[in-house]
Amino acid sequence: MPQELRGAQDDFTGAEPLYAFNRRIVDATADIAAAYKPQIAFYSALGAEDQLVASIRYIRERAPAALVILDAKRGDIGNTAEAYAREAFDRYGADAVTVNPYMGEDSVRPFLARPDRAAILLCRTSNPGAEDFQDLLVDGLPLYRRVAERAAAHWNTHGNLMLVVGATYPREMADLRNGASRRPVFGARHRRTGRRSRCDSGSRPGRTRRGTIDQLLAQHHLRRRRRGRSDP
């Protein structure tokens, strides 16, 4: 956050710093952004959940075609997962939420129960410690591949499940795209540059209340072409 906004009010009357900062970002990107992904920890650590609510409301006003992804990486037993799902979808009104699949199917199902909302499952992440567990072999395949296979075969009933795959692992990403599943790979990010790779949609794209993921990305690229931009 810019130094001038820390602990200070912005030009927006009554705006708090996080909200004011987010408004600047949304105003600058509303016509080109396919999605916004606020990380909940930075709000809850400051007791600033109200600023997250206000920020998402502002996204809806300024960029109604964009998805809102709540980056929460939730994962817990069934009834707790249900509460986390209500938090993401009812309290914050997110279209999708990042989910940790380590505890298995019952910890993921509540996030997939609503056909018009999506779960984005951690699969092959880009952090340095990812290989500690994700590369362990399970019946001859690395664990992240088993996660992808299980998700595709058993969890994606509504076609609203996606995977997070780090762009620092292009070979693994190619494996997942070409043979592991039939669902979108979303949120691939280079951990050093922060640049996203292309989003790849499977043959059963998830559907949110703003339409299919394929349609959203198509609209996004069309807007960029109209502005004379060719980069993804």
Side-chain angles (χ1 to χ4, degrees):
M1 181 186 296
Q3 186 64 41
E4 70 269 16
L5 286 183
R6 297 182 182 181
Q9 299 290 329
D10 193 71
D11 294 336
F12 306 114
T13 303
E16 295 296 331
L18 292 175
Y19 176 46
F21 181 55
N22 290 343
R23 285 186 64 156
R24 291 186 180 184
I25 293 173
V26 174
D27 287 342
T29 60
D31 61 337
I32 58 174
Y36 295 91
K37 186 168 73 73
Q39 166 49 257
I40 193 171
F42 292 103
Y43 299 87
S44 57
L46 299 174
E49 291 91 338
D50 58 332
Q51 295 184 60
L52 176 57
V53 171
S55 297
I56 292 174
R57 185 182 304 118
Y58 192 70
I59 292 169
R60 299 300 190 205
E61 295 171 357
R62 292 283 285 114
L67 289 177
V68 174
I69 301 166
L70 187 67
D71 191 5
K73 300 180 177 68
R74 300 301 196 195
D76 212 320
I77 60 174
N79 60 349
T80 306
E82 290 174 2
Y84 279 138
R86 292 195 300 271
E87 173 196 47
F89 301 139
D90 296 334
R91 181 181 182 188
Y92 294 114
D95 297 300
V97 60
T98 55
V99 177
N100 190 328
Y102 186 77
M103 293 183 68
E105 181 173 355
D106 61 316
S107 69
V108 175
R109 280 289 178 192
F111 300 97
L112 298 169
R114 310 184 192 197
D116 63 339
R117 307 298 172 98
I120 306 179
L121 209 66
L122 301 182
C123 182
R124 187 63 172 97
T125 59
S126 61
N127 59 299
E131 61 187 26
D132 291 350
F133 296 110
Q134 294 170 21
D135 285 352
L136 293 178
L137 295 182
V138 180
D139 293 332
L141 285 178
L143 179 60
Y144 75 86
R145 287 286 299 272
R146 293 299 182 189
V147 169
E149 289 184 350
R150 169 72 64 163
H154 301 287
W155 299 350
N156 200 19
T157 304
H158 299 303
N160 59 344
L161 185 149
M162 297 177 277
L163 299 179
V164 173
V165 181
T168 40
Y169 300 102
R171 180 179 59 80
E172 291 90 334
M173 182 182 292
D175 289 344
L176 290 167
R177 282 175 163 171
N178 294 332
S181 64
R182 299 174 59 192
R183 79 263 155 257
V185 175
F186 192 89
R189 180 179 293 279
H190 192 292
R191 71 169 178 261
R192 289 185 294 274
T193 66
R195 294 185 59 188
R196 288 191 184 280
S197 68
R198 286 186 186 273
C199 296
D200 174 71
S201 294
S203 59
R204 292 184 60 199
R207 179 174 294 276
T208 70
R209 58 182 174 174
R210 284 169 175 73
T212 66
I213 295 162
D214 281 342
Q215 291 169 344
L216 175 74
L217 293 175
Q219 293 168 4
H220 169 61
H221 290 301
L222 178 61
R223 289 197 301 268
R224 294 187 73 90
R225 286 197 297 271
R226 286 173 176 171
R227 290 170 57 89
R229 303 185 183 191
S230 59
D231 56 312

